[in-house]
Amino acid sequence: MDLEQISAIDVHAHIEADHHHNFALDDQLLEASAKYFRSSDNRTPTIEELADHYRSRRIAAVVFTVDASTGLGHPPLSSEEIAEQAASHADVLIPFGSVDPWRGGDAVTQARRLVSEYGVRGFKFHPSLQAFEPNDRQFYPLYAALEELGVIALFHTGQTGIGSGLPGGRGIKLRYSDPMLLDDVAADFPQLNMIMAHPSVPWVDSAISIATHKANMYIDLSGWSPKYFPPQLVRQAGSLLKHKVLFGSDYPVLSPDRWLAAFADLEIKDDVRQLILKDNAARLLRLA
């Protein structure tokens, strides 16, 4: 990847469909999330479509699916296939993997293979969809493997649009995505770089505290239009956390165009804007 040709790095883009016409979520959850985000974009772009979308904007993107086969009872897309296809678009795409943490030793084996054979740079977890408490020690062997492999663990935090508006939220529990559960993991695996995805509403102050306290913890700003960011997050992103905050959109439910247009209106210094949009991610992903 030629960083000189890239204007920004989006650390949060979902692959929602594969070339076998399989989808990451079932129809009900896809429809509910599209309604929640009020998105007019293609909800299920293939990796080729997503690469074209980002290339035309001179933006690089971290791409992944979520393996929530236990939590949702829905078969996942293949992280192996996503990584293989991303390699054909290495000028703009950076693959992350996903494993179901409930699979224990098999998840560890798959994670090691995804790094060693498929070149993934990190792993995406969604505790609410995967129905697990991240600080439960039964999942520690997985984190130990990721720490040893030197890859990133990206965790969904806060509210989720998946299941929003459905009876009981389709059984999806928000408490699993409280960022304070990740504070234990960050403390117990100090060499594991971690990203708390999204502004972590309603726990934004917790996320700010954790990112301030733990050198190995970062925040991505995906999933919310910047015009709705909590003011304390904007304040800290422009000062104390200026090296710890990352641009993320949550495409395809929130497009990078929509996110960047709103971000341009935030009162943040130009040098900090460059850190958030590109430089922090380039350093964390070891692209620079």
Side-chain angles (χ1 to χ4, degrees), residues 197-240:
H198 318 310
S200 299
V201 173
W203 301 293
V204 64
D205 291 322
S206 295
I208 290 171
S209 295
I210 297 166
T212 302
H213 190 252
K214 302 293 191 296
N216 54 324
M217 185 65 85
Y218 297 77
I219 296 173
D220 89 34
L221 299 174
S222 65
W224 289 68
S225 171
K227 65 183 177 181
Y228 298 122
F229 285 171
Q232 65 268 45
L233 179 59
V234 177
R235 210 165 41 242
Q236 298 299 342
S239 56
L240 190 62

mmCIF file of all heavy atoms in Angstrom, residues 197-240:
data_model
loop_
_atom_site.group_PDB
_atom_site.id
_atom_site.type_symbol
_atom_site.label_atom_id
_atom_site.label_comp_id
_atom_site.label_asym_id
_atom_site.label_seq_id
_atom_site.Cartn_x
_atom_site.Cartn_y
_atom_site.Cartn_z
ATOM 1 N N ALA A 197 -14.375 0.065 19.406
ATOM 2 C CA ALA A 197 -15.084 0.615 18.255
ATOM 3 C C ALA A 197 -16.288 1.429 18.706
ATOM 4 O O ALA A 197 -16.995 1.045 19.637
ATOM 5 C CB ALA A 197 -15.537 -0.508 17.322
ATOM 6 N N HIS A 198 -16.471 2.564 18.035
ATOM 7 C CA HIS A 198 -17.625 3.447 18.223
ATOM 8 C C HIS A 198 -17.459 4.360 19.452
ATOM 9 O O HIS A 198 -16.612 4.107 20.314
ATOM 10 C CB HIS A 198 -18.929 2.655 18.321
ATOM 11 C CG HIS A 198 -19.051 1.535 17.345
ATOM 12 N ND1 HIS A 198 -18.813 1.706 15.991
ATOM 13 C CD2 HIS A 198 -19.369 0.222 17.505
ATOM 14 C CE1 HIS A 198 -19.003 0.543 15.372
ATOM 15 N NE2 HIS A 198 -19.323 -0.373 16.266
ATOM 16 N N PRO A 199 -18.270 5.404 19.541
ATOM 17 C CA PRO A 199 -18.208 6.293 20.704
ATOM 18 C C PRO A 199 -18.702 5.685 22.024
ATOM 19 O O PRO A 199 -18.770 6.387 23.027
ATOM 20 C CB PRO A 199 -19.099 7.471 20.279
ATOM 21 C CG PRO A 199 -18.985 7.506 18.789
ATOM 22 C CD PRO A 199 -18.973 6.051 18.407
ATOM 23 N N SER A 200 -19.054 4.407 22.043
ATOM 24 C CA SER A 200 -19.350 3.665 23.278
ATOM 25 C C SER A 200 -20.550 4.184 24.068
ATOM 26 O O SER A 200 -20.639 3.963 25.276
ATOM 27 C CB SER A 200 -18.118 3.638 24.209
ATOM 28 O OG SER A 200 -17.025 3.012 23.601
ATOM 29 N N VAL A 201 -21.460 4.854 23.403
ATOM 30 C CA VAL A 201 -22.674 5.310 24.094
ATOM 31 C C VAL A 201 -23.436 4.093 24.627
ATOM 32 O O VAL A 201 -23.609 3.117 23.891
ATOM 33 C CB VAL A 201 -23.555 6.115 23.111
ATOM 34 C CG1 VAL A 201 -24.906 6.457 23.738
ATOM 35 C CG2 VAL A 201 -22.830 7.392 22.685
ATOM 36 N N PRO A 202 -23.841 4.062 25.892
ATOM 37 C CA PRO A 202 -23.877 5.146 26.885
ATOM 38 C C PRO A 202 -22.679 5.194 27.818
ATOM 39 O O PRO A 202 -22.771 5.805 28.891
ATOM 40 C CB PRO A 202 -25.147 4.803 27.675
ATOM 41 C CG PRO A 202 -25.125 3.301 27.720
ATOM 42 C CD PRO A 202 -24.581 2.866 26.380
ATOM 43 N N TRP A 203 -21.573 4.547 27.442
ATOM 44 C CA TRP A 203 -20.417 4.440 28.334
ATOM 45 C C TRP A 203 -19.216 5.223 27.810
ATOM 46 O O TRP A 203 -18.068 4.815 28.000
ATOM 47 C CB TRP A 203 -20.052 2.966 28.503
ATOM 48 C CG TRP A 203 -21.146 2.109 29.055
ATOM 49 C CD1 TRP A 203 -21.682 2.148 30.308
ATOM 50 C CD2 TRP A 203 -21.832 1.041 28.379
ATOM 51 N NE1 TRP A 203 -22.636 1.186 30.467
ATOM 52 C CE2 TRP A 203 -22.766 0.486 29.296
ATOM 53 C CE3 TRP A 203 -21.745 0.490 27.100
ATOM 54 C CZ2 TRP A 203 -23.611 -0.576 28.967
ATOM 55 C CZ3 TRP A 203 -22.587 -0.559 26.769
ATOM 56 C CH2 TRP A 203 -23.508 -1.089 27.696
ATOM 57 N N VAL A 204 -19.459 6.347 27.157
ATOM 58 C CA VAL A 204 -18.363 7.078 26.519
ATOM 59 C C VAL A 204 -17.315 7.526 27.524
ATOM 60 O O VAL A 204 -16.106 7.502 27.232
ATOM 61 C CB VAL A 204 -18.911 8.275 25.703
ATOM 62 C CG1 VAL A 204 -19.593 9.291 26.601
ATOM 63 C CG2 VAL A 204 -17.798 8.916 24.892
ATOM 64 N N ASP A 205 -17.706 7.934 28.730
ATOM 65 C CA ASP A 205 -16.720 8.374 29.717
ATOM 66 C C ASP A 205 -15.820 7.218 30.151
ATOM 67 O O ASP A 205 -14.626 7.420 30.407
ATOM 68 C CB ASP A 205 -17.419 8.992 30.925
ATOM 69 C CG ASP A 205 -18.087 10.316 30.599
ATOM 70 O OD1 ASP A 205 -17.502 11.087 29.809
ATOM 71 O OD2 ASP A 205 -19.183 10.572 31.113
ATOM 72 N N SER A 206 -16.386 6.027 30.222
ATOM 73 C CA SER A 206 -15.562 4.853 30.539
ATOM 74 C C SER A 206 -14.521 4.620 29.453
ATOM 75 O O SER A 206 -13.346 4.347 29.742
ATOM 76 C CB SER A 206 -16.445 3.612 30.685
ATOM 77 O OG SER A 206 -17.317 3.717 31.781
ATOM 78 N N ALA A 207 -14.939 4.705 28.194
ATOM 79 C CA ALA A 207 -14.004 4.490 27.085
ATOM 80 C C ALA A 207 -12.883 5.519 27.110
ATOM 81 O O ALA A 207 -11.706 5.180 26.888
ATOM 82 C CB ALA A 207 -14.755 4.537 25.763
ATOM 83 N N ILE A 208 -13.227 6.779 27.358
ATOM 84 C CA ILE A 208 -12.214 7.829 27.437
ATOM 85 C C ILE A 208 -11.219 7.520 28.550
ATOM 86 O O ILE A 208 -9.997 7.636 28.379
ATOM 87 C CB ILE A 208 -12.881 9.202 27.648
ATOM 88 C CG1 ILE A 208 -13.635 9.630 26.386
ATOM 89 C CG2 ILE A 208 -11.839 10.261 28.027
ATOM 90 C CD1 ILE A 208 -14.499 10.860 26.574
ATOM 91 N N SER A 209 -11.731 7.112 29.710
ATOM 92 C CA SER A 209 -10.858 6.797 30.847
ATOM 93 C C SER A 209 -9.919 5.639 30.524
ATOM 94 O O SER A 209 -8.728 5.687 30.830
ATOM 95 C CB SER A 209 -11.701 6.463 32.080
ATOM 96 O OG SER A 209 -12.438 7.575 32.513
ATOM 97 N N ILE A 210 -10.459 4.593 29.893
ATOM 98 C CA ILE A 210 -9.637 3.425 29.578
ATOM 99 C C ILE A 210 -8.550 3.781 28.568
ATOM 100 O O ILE A 210 -7.377 3.412 28.732
ATOM 101 C CB ILE A 210 -10.515 2.282 29.050
ATOM 102 C CG1 ILE A 210 -11.500 1.819 30.120
ATOM 103 C CG2 ILE A 210 -9.648 1.103 28.593
ATOM 104 C CD1 ILE A 210 -12.616 0.942 29.582
ATOM 105 N N ALA A 211 -8.926 4.504 27.523
ATOM 106 C CA ALA A 211 -7.944 4.875 26.501
ATOM 107 C C ALA A 211 -6.879 5.796 27.071
ATOM 108 O O ALA A 211 -5.719 5.769 26.637
ATOM 109 C CB ALA A 211 -8.646 5.540 25.318
ATOM 110 N N THR A 212 -7.245 6.624 28.037
ATOM 111 C CA THR A 212 -6.271 7.494 28.689
ATOM 112 C C THR A 212 -5.319 6.698 29.573
ATOM 113 O O THR A 212 -4.121 6.973 29.629
ATOM 114 C CB THR A 212 -7.009 8.551 29.549
ATOM 115 O OG1 THR A 212 -7.896 9.302 28.727
ATOM 116 C CG2 THR A 212 -6.029 9.506 30.203
ATOM 117 N N HIS A 213 -5.849 5.677 30.235
ATOM 118 C CA HIS A 213 -5.085 4.922 31.230
ATOM 119 C C HIS A 213 -4.223 3.824 30.633
ATOM 120 O O HIS A 213 -3.122 3.539 31.123
ATOM 121 C CB HIS A 213 -6.054 4.311 32.248
ATOM 122 C CG HIS A 213 -5.400 3.707 33.440
ATOM 123 N ND1 HIS A 213 -5.331 2.347 33.648
ATOM 124 C CD2 HIS A 213 -4.774 4.286 34.503
ATOM 125 C CE1 HIS A 213 -4.705 2.101 34.788
ATOM 126 N NE2 HIS A 213 -4.356 3.258 35.323
ATOM 127 N N LYS A 214 -4.710 3.186 29.568
ATOM 128 C CA LYS A 214 -4.032 2.026 28.996
ATOM 129 C C LYS A 214 -3.348 2.395 27.686
ATOM 130 O O LYS A 214 -4.002 2.785 26.711
ATOM 131 C CB LYS A 214 -5.039 0.891 28.738
ATOM 132 C CG LYS A 214 -5.815 0.421 29.992
ATOM 133 C CD LYS A 214 -4.897 -0.243 30.989
ATOM 134 C CE LYS A 214 -5.660 -0.963 32.109
ATOM 135 N NZ LYS A 214 -6.445 -0.049 32.963
ATOM 136 N N ALA A 215 -2.028 2.246 27.644
ATOM 137 C CA ALA A 215 -1.272 2.609 26.437
ATOM 138 C C ALA A 215 -1.659 1.762 25.242
ATOM 139 O O ALA A 215 -1.486 2.189 24.092
ATOM 140 C CB ALA A 215 0.230 2.476 26.706
ATOM 141 N N ASN A 216 -2.171 0.564 25.485
ATOM 142 C CA ASN A 216 -2.496 -0.355 24.398
ATOM 143 C C ASN A 216 -3.955 -0.277 23.957
ATOM 144 O O ASN A 216 -4.428 -1.138 23.218
ATOM 145 C CB ASN A 216 -2.160 -1.798 24.795
ATOM 146 C CG ASN A 216 -2.801 -2.243 26.106
ATOM 147 O OD1 ASN A 216 -2.927 -1.455 27.042
ATOM 148 N ND2 ASN A 216 -3.188 -3.502 26.194
ATOM 149 N N MET A 217 -4.671 0.781 24.376
ATOM 150 C CA MET A 217 -6.093 0.894 24.037
ATOM 151 C C MET A 217 -6.362 2.139 23.193
ATOM 152 O O MET A 217 -5.898 3.238 23.517
ATOM 153 C CB MET A 217 -6.939 0.962 25.304
ATOM 154 C CG MET A 217 -8.428 0.948 25.041
ATOM 155 S SD MET A 217 -9.018 -0.614 24.298
ATOM 156 C CE MET A 217 -9.257 -1.626 25.776
ATOM 157 N N TYR A 218 -7.117 1.952 22.116
ATOM 158 C CA TYR A 218 -7.457 3.018 21.175
ATOM 159 C C TYR A 218 -8.972 3.083 21.018
ATOM 160 O O TYR A 218 -9.696 2.180 21.432
ATOM 161 C CB TYR A 218 -6.798 2.768 19.807
ATOM 162 C CG TYR A 218 -5.289 2.787 19.858
ATOM 163 C CD1 TYR A 218 -4.564 1.702 20.362
ATOM 164 C CD2 TYR A 218 -4.574 3.892 19.401
ATOM 165 C CE1 TYR A 218 -3.178 1.729 20.422
ATOM 166 C CE2 TYR A 218 -3.187 3.921 19.449
ATOM 167 C CZ TYR A 218 -2.494 2.838 19.958
ATOM 168 O OH TYR A 218 -1.128 2.871 20.022
ATOM 169 N N ILE A 219 -9.455 4.158 20.398
ATOM 170 C CA ILE A 219 -10.884 4.339 20.132
ATOM 171 C C ILE A 219 -11.070 4.611 18.648
ATOM 172 O O ILE A 219 -10.370 5.474 18.088
ATOM 173 C CB ILE A 219 -11.462 5.524 20.926
ATOM 174 C CG1 ILE A 219 -11.389 5.275 22.436
ATOM 175 C CG2 ILE A 219 -12.909 5.812 20.517
ATOM 176 C CD1 ILE A 219 -11.800 6.475 23.276
ATOM 177 N N ASP A 220 -11.979 3.887 17.982
ATOM 178 C CA ASP A 220 -12.366 4.309 16.638
ATOM 179 C C ASP A 220 -13.716 5.020 16.703
ATOM 180 O O ASP A 220 -14.512 4.778 17.607
ATOM 181 C CB ASP A 220 -12.305 3.164 15.620
ATOM 182 C CG ASP A 220 -13.575 2.325 15.464
ATOM 183 O OD1 ASP A 220 -14.695 2.866 15.589
ATOM 184 O OD2 ASP A 220 -13.456 1.118 15.184
ATOM 185 N N LEU A 221 -13.937 5.913 15.773
ATOM 186 C CA LEU A 221 -15.083 6.825 15.813
ATOM 187 C C LEU A 221 -16.199 6.403 14.870
ATOM 188 O O LEU A 221 -16.993 7.228 14.420
ATOM 189 C CB LEU A 221 -14.620 8.247 15.473
ATOM 190 C CG LEU A 221 -13.589 8.844 16.426
ATOM 191 C CD1 LEU A 221 -13.101 10.185 15.902
ATOM 192 C CD2 LEU A 221 -14.161 8.999 17.825
ATOM 193 N N SER A 222 -16.279 5.119 14.588
ATOM 194 C CA SER A 222 -17.235 4.618 13.605
ATOM 195 C C SER A 222 -18.638 4.500 14.189
ATOM 196 O O SER A 222 -18.856 4.530 15.401
ATOM 197 C CB SER A 222 -16.783 3.250 13.099
ATOM 198 O OG SER A 222 -16.815 2.296 14.152
ATOM 199 N N GLY A 223 -19.610 4.343 13.288
ATOM 200 C CA GLY A 223 -20.963 4.013 13.679
ATOM 201 C C GLY A 223 -21.848 5.185 14.060
ATOM 202 O O GLY A 223 -23.053 5.021 14.227
ATOM 203 N N TRP A 224 -21.278 6.369 14.206
ATOM 204 C CA TRP A 224 -22.012 7.576 14.550
ATOM 205 C C TRP A 224 -21.553 8.691 13.626
ATOM 206 O O TRP A 224 -20.340 8.858 13.395
ATOM 207 C CB TRP A 224 -21.730 8.013 15.995
ATOM 208 C CG TRP A 224 -22.339 7.129 17.032
ATOM 209 C CD1 TRP A 224 -22.002 5.829 17.323
ATOM 210 C CD2 TRP A 224 -23.392 7.475 17.935
ATOM 211 N NE1 TRP A 224 -22.772 5.349 18.336
ATOM 212 C CE2 TRP A 224 -23.637 6.340 18.749
ATOM 213 C CE3 TRP A 224 -24.139 8.632 18.148
ATOM 214 C CZ2 TRP A 224 -24.593 6.317 19.739
ATOM 215 C CZ3 TRP A 224 -25.104 8.617 19.150
ATOM 216 C CH2 TRP A 224 -25.331 7.474 19.930
ATOM 217 N N SER A 225 -22.472 9.460 13.099
ATOM 218 C CA SER A 225 -22.078 10.680 12.396
ATOM 219 C C SER A 225 -21.396 11.600 13.396
ATOM 220 O O SER A 225 -21.879 11.767 14.517
ATOM 221 C CB SER A 225 -23.306 11.379 11.805
ATOM 222 O OG SER A 225 -22.948 12.655 11.313
ATOM 223 N N PRO A 226 -20.258 12.196 13.034
ATOM 224 C CA PRO A 226 -19.554 13.074 13.974
ATOM 225 C C PRO A 226 -20.398 14.203 14.555
ATOM 226 O O PRO A 226 -20.100 14.687 15.652
ATOM 227 C CB PRO A 226 -18.395 13.624 13.130
ATOM 228 C CG PRO A 226 -18.107 12.511 12.165
ATOM 229 C CD PRO A 226 -19.463 11.952 11.809
ATOM 230 N N LYS A 227 -21.452 14.607 13.867
ATOM 231 C CA LYS A 227 -22.276 15.686 14.420
ATOM 232 C C LYS A 227 -23.030 15.245 15.667
ATOM 233 O O LYS A 227 -23.538 16.087 16.418
ATOM 234 C CB LYS A 227 -23.254 16.210 13.372
ATOM 235 C CG LYS A 227 -24.304 15.220 12.904
ATOM 236 C CD LYS A 227 -25.164 15.846 11.806
ATOM 237 C CE LYS A 227 -26.193 14.864 11.249
ATOM 238 N NZ LYS A 227 -27.000 15.494 10.166
ATOM 239 N N TYR A 228 -23.082 13.938 15.927
ATOM 240 C CA TYR A 228 -23.741 13.423 17.120
ATOM 241 C C TYR A 228 -22.753 12.959 18.194
ATOM 242 O O TYR A 228 -23.173 12.403 19.216
ATOM 243 C CB TYR A 228 -24.663 12.251 16.761
ATOM 244 C CG TYR A 228 -25.775 12.624 15.812
ATOM 245 C CD1 TYR A 228 -25.922 11.977 14.587
ATOM 246 C CD2 TYR A 228 -26.694 13.626 16.132
ATOM 247 C CE1 TYR A 228 -26.947 12.308 13.716
ATOM 248 C CE2 TYR A 228 -27.717 13.972 15.270
ATOM 249 C CZ TYR A 228 -27.834 13.308 14.059
ATOM 250 O OH TYR A 228 -28.851 13.643 13.189
ATOM 251 N N PHE A 229 -21.461 13.163 17.981
ATOM 252 C CA PHE A 229 -20.481 12.722 18.963
ATOM 253 C C PHE A 229 -20.708 13.419 20.309
ATOM 254 O O PHE A 229 -20.964 14.628 20.348
ATOM 255 C CB PHE A 229 -19.057 13.035 18.507
ATOM 256 C CG PHE A 229 -18.522 12.144 17.422
ATOM 257 C CD1 PHE A 229 -17.326 12.458 16.799
ATOM 258 C CD2 PHE A 229 -19.187 10.999 17.018
ATOM 259 C CE1 PHE A 229 -16.805 11.658 15.802
ATOM 260 C CE2 PHE A 229 -18.683 10.187 16.019
ATOM 261 C CZ PHE A 229 -17.486 10.517 15.408
ATOM 262 N N PRO A 230 -20.593 12.698 21.413
ATOM 263 C CA PRO A 230 -20.646 13.352 22.724
ATOM 264 C C PRO A 230 -19.556 14.427 22.816
ATOM 265 O O PRO A 230 -18.420 14.193 22.383
ATOM 266 C CB PRO A 230 -20.390 12.207 23.704
ATOM 267 C CG PRO A 230 -20.807 10.971 22.968
ATOM 268 C CD PRO A 230 -20.442 11.232 21.536
ATOM 269 N N PRO A 231 -19.868 15.598 23.355
ATOM 270 C CA PRO A 231 -18.895 16.694 23.366
ATOM 271 C C PRO A 231 -17.604 16.364 24.094
ATOM 272 O O PRO A 231 -16.528 16.838 23.693
ATOM 273 C CB PRO A 231 -19.653 17.842 24.037
ATOM 274 C CG PRO A 231 -20.834 17.215 24.712
ATOM 275 C CD PRO A 231 -21.168 16.014 23.913
ATOM 276 N N GLN A 232 -17.676 15.560 25.156
ATOM 277 C CA GLN A 232 -16.448 15.228 25.875
ATOM 278 C C GLN A 232 -15.512 14.372 25.019
ATOM 279 O O GLN A 232 -14.287 14.447 25.153
ATOM 280 C CB GLN A 232 -16.754 14.545 27.212
ATOM 281 C CG GLN A 232 -17.423 13.166 27.128
ATOM 282 C CD GLN A 232 -18.931 13.236 27.158
ATOM 283 O OE1 GLN A 232 -19.522 14.070 26.476
ATOM 284 N NE2 GLN A 232 -19.562 12.356 27.935
ATOM 285 N N LEU A 233 -16.079 13.564 24.110
ATOM 286 C CA LEU A 233 -15.248 12.765 23.216
ATOM 287 C C LEU A 233 -14.551 13.655 22.197
ATOM 288 O O LEU A 233 -13.360 13.478 21.903
ATOM 289 C CB LEU A 233 -16.101 11.707 22.509
ATOM 290 C CG LEU A 233 -15.371 10.801 21.525
ATOM 291 C CD1 LEU A 233 -14.246 10.034 22.203
ATOM 292 C CD2 LEU A 233 -16.348 9.825 20.861
ATOM 293 N N VAL A 234 -15.273 14.626 21.647
ATOM 294 C CA VAL A 234 -14.662 15.568 20.703
ATOM 295 C C VAL A 234 -13.537 16.331 21.387
ATOM 296 O O VAL A 234 -12.445 16.519 20.825
ATOM 297 C CB VAL A 234 -15.721 16.550 20.157
ATOM 298 C CG1 VAL A 234 -15.073 17.582 19.243
ATOM 299 C CG2 VAL A 234 -16.817 15.792 19.416
ATOM 300 N N ARG A 235 -13.775 16.768 22.618
ATOM 301 C CA ARG A 235 -12.794 17.533 23.361
ATOM 302 C C ARG A 235 -11.516 16.724 23.577
ATOM 303 O O ARG A 235 -10.401 17.208 23.331
ATOM 304 C CB ARG A 235 -13.405 17.930 24.712
ATOM 305 C CG ARG A 235 -12.911 19.216 25.295
ATOM 306 C CD ARG A 235 -13.798 19.737 26.412
ATOM 307 N NE ARG A 235 -14.302 18.719 27.327
ATOM 308 C CZ ARG A 235 -15.585 18.455 27.478
ATOM 309 N NH1 ARG A 235 -16.510 19.105 26.788
ATOM 310 N NH2 ARG A 235 -15.976 17.531 28.344
ATOM 311 N N GLN A 236 -11.658 15.479 24.008
ATOM 312 C CA GLN A 236 -10.488 14.655 24.290
ATOM 313 C C GLN A 236 -9.798 14.172 23.009
ATOM 314 O O GLN A 236 -8.578 14.028 22.972
ATOM 315 C CB GLN A 236 -10.883 13.457 25.154
ATOM 316 C CG GLN A 236 -11.453 13.815 26.519
ATOM 317 C CD GLN A 236 -10.475 14.596 27.378
ATOM 318 O OE1 GLN A 236 -9.280 14.602 27.134
ATOM 319 N NE2 GLN A 236 -10.997 15.283 28.383
ATOM 320 N N ALA A 237 -10.590 13.934 21.951
ATOM 321 C CA ALA A 237 -9.994 13.535 20.667
ATOM 322 C C ALA A 237 -9.090 14.628 20.126
ATOM 323 O O ALA A 237 -8.098 14.350 19.441
ATOM 324 C CB ALA A 237 -11.087 13.205 19.657
ATOM 325 N N GLY A 238 -9.419 15.871 20.429
ATOM 326 C CA GLY A 238 -8.622 16.984 19.951
ATOM 327 C C GLY A 238 -7.477 17.369 20.856
ATOM 328 O O GLY A 238 -6.706 18.290 20.536
ATOM 329 N N SER A 239 -7.339 16.653 21.975
ATOM 330 C CA SER A 239 -6.286 17.037 22.922
ATOM 331 C C SER A 239 -5.609 15.800 23.515
ATOM 332 O O SER A 239 -4.694 15.237 22.923
ATOM 333 C CB SER A 239 -6.870 17.934 24.021
ATOM 334 O OG SER A 239 -7.954 17.290 24.686
ATOM 335 N N LEU A 240 -6.100 15.360 24.682
ATOM 336 C CA LEU A 240 -5.436 14.292 25.421
ATOM 337 C C LEU A 240 -5.320 12.993 24.629
ATOM 338 O O LEU A 240 -4.328 12.266 24.741
ATOM 339 C CB LEU A 240 -6.205 14.041 26.728
ATOM 340 C CG LEU A 240 -5.561 13.129 27.764
ATOM 341 C CD1 LEU A 240 -4.244 13.718 28.255
ATOM 342 C CD2 LEU A 240 -6.516 12.910 28.929
#
